[in-house]
Amino acid sequence: MRIRVITAGGTIDKVYFDDASTFNVGDPQVGPLFKEANVTFDYVVESVMQKDSLHMTDEDRALIRARVAAAPENLILITHGTDTMTATAAHLTGLPGKVIVFTGSMVPARFRQTDAFFNLGCAVGALQVLPPGVYIAMNGRVFPATEVKKNRAESRFEPKA
Amino acid sequence: MRIRVITAGGTIDKVYFDDASTFNVGDPQVGPLFKEANVTFDYVVESVMQKDSLHMTDEDRALIRARVAAAPENLILITHGTDTMTATAAHLTGLPGKVIVFTGSMVPARFRQTDAFFNLGCAVGALQVLPPGVYIAMNGRVFPATEVKKNRAESRFEPKA
Amino acid sequence: MRIRVITAGGTIDKVYFDDASTFNVGDPQVGPLFKEANVTFDYVVESVMQKDSLHMTDEDRALIRARVAAAPENLILITHGTDTMTATAAHLTGLPGKVIVFTGSMVPARFRQTDAFFNLGCAVGALQVLPPGVYIAMNGRVFPATEVKKNRAESRFEPKA
Amino acid sequence: MRIRVITAGGTIDKVYFDDASTFNVGDPQVGPLFKEANVTFDYVVESVMQKDSLHMTDEDRALIRARVAAAPENLILITHGTDTMTATAAHLTGLPGKVIVFTGSMVPARFRQTDAFFNLGCAVGALQVLPPGVYIAMNGRVFPATEVKKNRAESRFEPKA
């Protein structure tokens, strides 16, 4: 079992910069989190961009699609900001054989209390079992990407009405 | 989606007791961890025992089987000590319709660095996607319970040779 | 032994805000941190403002001085943003009998890795031993407030040249 | 300012051990904790033993005294198990010029919630301000070592009646 992790930024990778008193997207956290969890599958981490997903463009999404299409692996985990996760997912349909699971977090992985570890685990658990397609794993649920939306006020993902 | 979590103790729930300078099994951590991860599925936590799994008996295993069989839910997550997780799993075959996933951790959930959140996420991600059967989710892998063993020296689960 | 903690905001109390959010300094963390440390002295926490210290004005500083002067306690701990900590400290001279120690942190207290607990401990340890005056406890050092400056590039406090 | 840290083991340095393991006190945590706090004073860490303090002998205490007496530094921080901290402190009287502060923790430093960082900070804050003597810094209080005892039932240090 081998997974390609494509990282696009988002809250999960945010760090705090004291010198500007603000948060920005830092290095991908998925590698350190996998080490802490002592995972035994093979994986490679490919950092494609480090963006707050509110700032992602169609060009960014085309780039992510190109990287997924070019991947030798069929199991693709994408860490991504939550605000436009479904928009990027919509750009990844029609890639035969690929199992693509998006995840991210509402609280940065560097916080003492965070959903990052759990979400990443949930995405990995589903990724190795699901048939090809595009999915979002958030709040402990695994959704087909077309069936889910972010409820911003409640800070969670929900089925579309 | 509704999950029954049956907790049997194990490292994941260990606490430190200063007055005896030792570790013991404390209250189940799965509830607080689910809250921290802000999960949106329904679940109920049923604490069946609080044991280091080295001390579990066949009676304990019969009790766990009875609780799983009696559960109205089909999705069953069992948190359990790692040392005899496969032995307990072997007692749970032949329960039609039940998807049963075991998980636990090598480091207590209360530690600053721990595999507990990730493992729990991995188990939940797999549980909702797998067909009925008995599985073990550890080290980021989801195994049919009959196909895996703990490598104690390396502190990880591996496929049987 | 009784301490009054006056909180003015700063990085120590920062919460995560995403790009679409407007607030950033959250509730004072000193109370929860004291509870976690199981302190046995008496204390009261008085939240005077919740500001990034770059945005503090002379009116804010006059208010802090007034609150310190009005305090029935002689031991005063002030949690404060690091950028203008020395400026506020300069407003607090000439309050007879008061031992005043400022501290804060470079990384928010809510992070998994943070200097907040240590700094707070250092300030409390010094506060109960020092003679009246105004001090800054940062980076494990306790300085008379007039003898120290923040080195922003290095994210630390240093003696003035 | 230069501190010698003498480490003797205790809960602060405890690692997780399962029921089949034999060791329990791990490597001294003071170095990693100082790095995380970004301290700017000079220090050297000397690991003298790694013991649960219930198992310390008079020979152990004589060794600690010898190491303190031999230290070129006057500022001595000792991390030590809490159960016999006062007994060891009683062996360290009569060392002219030395400021000696003991600390430790009720919860291991490796836990997500712990008093270790705060206690270490408190000890460092007091150490640099106190006159020569032997002290214990626990629960946010700094006591002359002869004036304090551990209340085991309440897991805290208190003034002697």
Side-chain angles (χ1 to χ4, degrees):
Chain A
M1 173 177 156
R2 180 177 164 89
I3 292 178
R4 176 161 299 251
V5 186
I6 291 182
T7 71
T11 292
I12 193 170
D13 289 338
K14 290 235 173 138
V15 295
Y16 181 72
F17 290 97
D18 173 65
D19 63 355
S21 297
T22 191
F23 289 90
N24 278 308
V25 177
D27 291 333
Q29 289 300 289
V30 64
L33 299 185
F34 277 0
K35 279 197 182 59
E36 185 167 335
N38 198 24
V39 302
T40 54
F41 53 80
D42 291 327
Y43 64 92
V44 56
V45 177
E46 177 179 351
S47 175
V48 174
M49 66 198 66
Q50 296 190 333
K51 286 203 170 182
D52 188 302
S53 77
L54 290 170
H55 303 151
M56 287 177 71
T57 63
D58 282 353
E59 287 70 31
D60 292 328
R61 297 194 166 97
L63 174 59
I64 291 173
R65 182 185 171 90
R67 299 313 307 152
V68 173
E73 297 83 6
N74 279 330
L75 301 182
I76 309 289
L77 174 64
I78 304 181
T79 62
H80 192 286
T82 58
D83 283 311
T84 67
M85 191 181 273
T86 56
T88 302
H91 279 65
L92 294 184
T93 53
L95 291 167
K98 300 292 187 196
V99 189
I100 303 166
V101 179
F102 282 79
T103 196
S105 66
M106 297 296 185
V107 178
R110 288 170 177 86
F111 271 58
R112 188 151 70 136
Q113 309 231 31
T114 175
D115 53 339
F117 285 84
F118 184 88
N119 291 352
L120 213 52
C122 188
V124 166
L127 182 67
Q128 61 196 287
V129 181
L130 287 163
V134 186
Y135 307 88
I136 286 179
M138 287 294 293
N139 301 101
R141 300 289 305 274
V142 183
F143 305 94
T146 52
E147 305 300 320
V148 66
K149 61 178 169 52
K150 180 175 176 182
N151 179 332
R152 192 175 172 89
E154 300 289 338
S155 282
R156 67 182 184 219
F157 281 72
E158 307 176 331
K160 283 186 183 167
Chain B
M1 174 177 156
R2 180 177 164 90
I3 292 178
R4 177 161 299 250
V5 186
I6 290 181
T7 70
T11 291
I12 193 170
D13 288 339
K14 290 236 173 136
V15 294
Y16 180 73
F17 290 97
D18 174 64
D19 63 355
S21 297
T22 190
F23 289 90
N24 278 308
V25 177
D27 290 334
Q29 289 300 288
V30 64
L33 299 185
F34 277 0
K35 279 196 182 59
E36 184 168 336
N38 198 23
V39 302
T40 53
F41 53 81
D42 291 328
Y43 64 93
V44 56
V45 177
E46 178 180 351
S47 174
V48 174
M49 65 198 67
Q50 297 189 334
K51 286 202 169 184
D52 188 301
S53 77
L54 290 169
H55 303 150
M56 286 177 73
T57 64
D58 281 354
E59 287 69 31
D60 292 328
R61 297 195 165 98
L63 174 59
I64 291 173
R65 182 185 171 91
R67 300 312 307 153
V68 174
E73 297 83 7
N74 279 330
L75 302 182
I76 310 289
L77 174 64
I78 303 180
T79 61
H80 193 286
T82 58
D83 282 311
T84 67
M85 191 182 274
T86 57
T88 302
H91 279 66
L92 295 183
T93 52
L95 292 167
K98 300 291 188 197
V99 189
I100 303 166
V101 180
F102 282 79
T103 196
S105 67
M106 297 298 185
V107 178
R110 288 170 176 86
F111 271 58
R112 187 151 70 137
Q113 309 231 28
T114 175
D115 52 339
F117 286 85
F118 184 88
N119 292 351
L120 213 53
C122 188
V124 166
L127 182 67
Q128 62 196 283
V129 180
L130 286 163
V134 187
Y135 306 89
I136 287 179
M138 287 294 293
N139 301 101
R141 301 288 305 272
V142 183
F143 304 95
T146 53
E147 305 300 320
V148 66
K149 61 178 170 51
K150 180 175 175 183
N151 178 332
R152 194 174 170 87
E154 300 288 339
S155 281
R156 68 182 184 216
F157 281 72
E158 306 176 331
K160 284 186 183 167
Chain C
M1 173 178 157
R2 181 177 164 90
I3 293 178
R4 176 161 299 251
V5 186
I6 291 181
T7 70
T11 291
I12 193 170
D13 289 338
K14 288 245 171 124
V15 294
Y16 175 65
F17 52 101
D18 65 24
D19 274 23
S21 301
T22 51
F23 74 105
N24 54 29
V25 177
D27 291 334
Q29 289 300 288
V30 66
L33 298 185
F34 277 0
K35 280 198 181 58
E36 185 168 335
N38 197 23
V39 302
T40 54
F41 53 81
D42 291 328
Y43 63 92
V44 57
V45 177
E46 178 180 351
S47 175
V48 174
M49 63 198 69
Q50 293 181 238
K51 286 203 170 183
D52 187 305
S53 77
L54 290 170
H55 303 148
M56 286 177 73
T57 63
D58 281 354
E59 286 70 30
D60 292 327
R61 297 195 165 97
L63 174 59
I64 291 173
R65 182 185 172 91
R67 300 311 307 151
V68 174
E73 297 83 7
N74 279 330
L75 302 182
I76 309 288
L77 174 63
I78 304 181
T79 62
H80 193 287
T82 57
D83 283 311
T84 67
M85 191 181 274
T86 56
T88 303
H91 279 65
L92 295 183
T93 53
L95 292 166
K98 301 290 187 195
V99 190
I100 303 166
V101 179
F102 282 79
T103 196
S105 67
M106 298 297 185
V107 178
R110 289 170 176 86
F111 271 57
R112 188 152 70 137
Q113 309 229 31
T114 175
D115 53 339
F117 285 84
F118 184 88
N119 292 350
L120 213 52
C122 188
V124 166
L127 182 66
Q128 62 197 283
V129 182
L130 287 162
V134 187
Y135 307 88
I136 287 179
M138 287 294 292
N139 301 101
R141 301 288 304 273
V142 183
F143 305 95
T146 52
E147 305 301 319
V148 65
K149 61 178 169 54
K150 181 176 176 183
N151 178 333
R152 198 176 169 88
E154 300 289 337
S155 281
R156 68 183 183 216
F157 280 72
E158 305 176 332
K160 283 185 183 169
Chain D
M1 172 178 157
R2 180 178 165 89
I3 293 178
R4 175 161 300 249
V5 186
I6 291 181
T7 71
T11 291
I12 193 170
D13 289 338
K14 287 247 171 121
V15 294
Y16 174 65
F17 53 100
D18 65 26
D19 275 22
S21 301
T22 51
F23 75 104
N24 55 30
V25 178
D27 291 333
Q29 290 300 289
V30 64
L33 298 185
F34 277 0
K35 279 197 181 60
E36 186 167 334
N38 198 23
V39 303
T40 53
F41 53 80
D42 291 328
Y43 64 93
V44 57
V45 177
E46 178 179 353
S47 175
V48 173
M49 65 198 67
Q50 293 182 238
K51 288 203 169 182
D52 188 304
S53 77
L54 290 169
H55 303 147
M56 287 178 72
T57 64
D58 282 354
E59 287 70 31
D60 292 329
R61 298 196 164 96
L63 174 59
I64 291 172
R65 182 184 171 90
R67 299 312 307 151
V68 173
E73 297 83 7
N74 279 330
L75 302 182
I76 309 289
L77 174 64
I78 303 182
T79 62
H80 193 287
T82 57
D83 283 310
T84 67
M85 192 181 272
T86 56
T88 302
H91 279 66
L92 295 184
T93 53
L95 291 167
K98 301 290 187 196
V99 189
I100 303 167
V101 180
F102 282 79
T103 197
S105 66
M106 298 297 184
V107 178
R110 289 170 176 87
F111 271 57
R112 187 151 69 135
Q113 309 231 30
T114 176
D115 53 338
F117 285 84
F118 183 88
N119 292 351
L120 213 52
C122 188
V124 166
L127 182 66
Q128 61 197 286
V129 181
L130 287 163
V134 186
Y135 307 88
I136 286 180
M138 287 295 293
N139 301 100
R141 301 287 306 272
V142 183
F143 305 94
T146 52
E147 305 301 319
V148 65
K149 62 178 168 51
K150 182 176 176 182
N151 178 332
R152 197 176 169 88
E154 300 288 337
S155 282
R156 67 181 184 218
F157 281 71
E158 306 175 333
K160 282 186 184 168

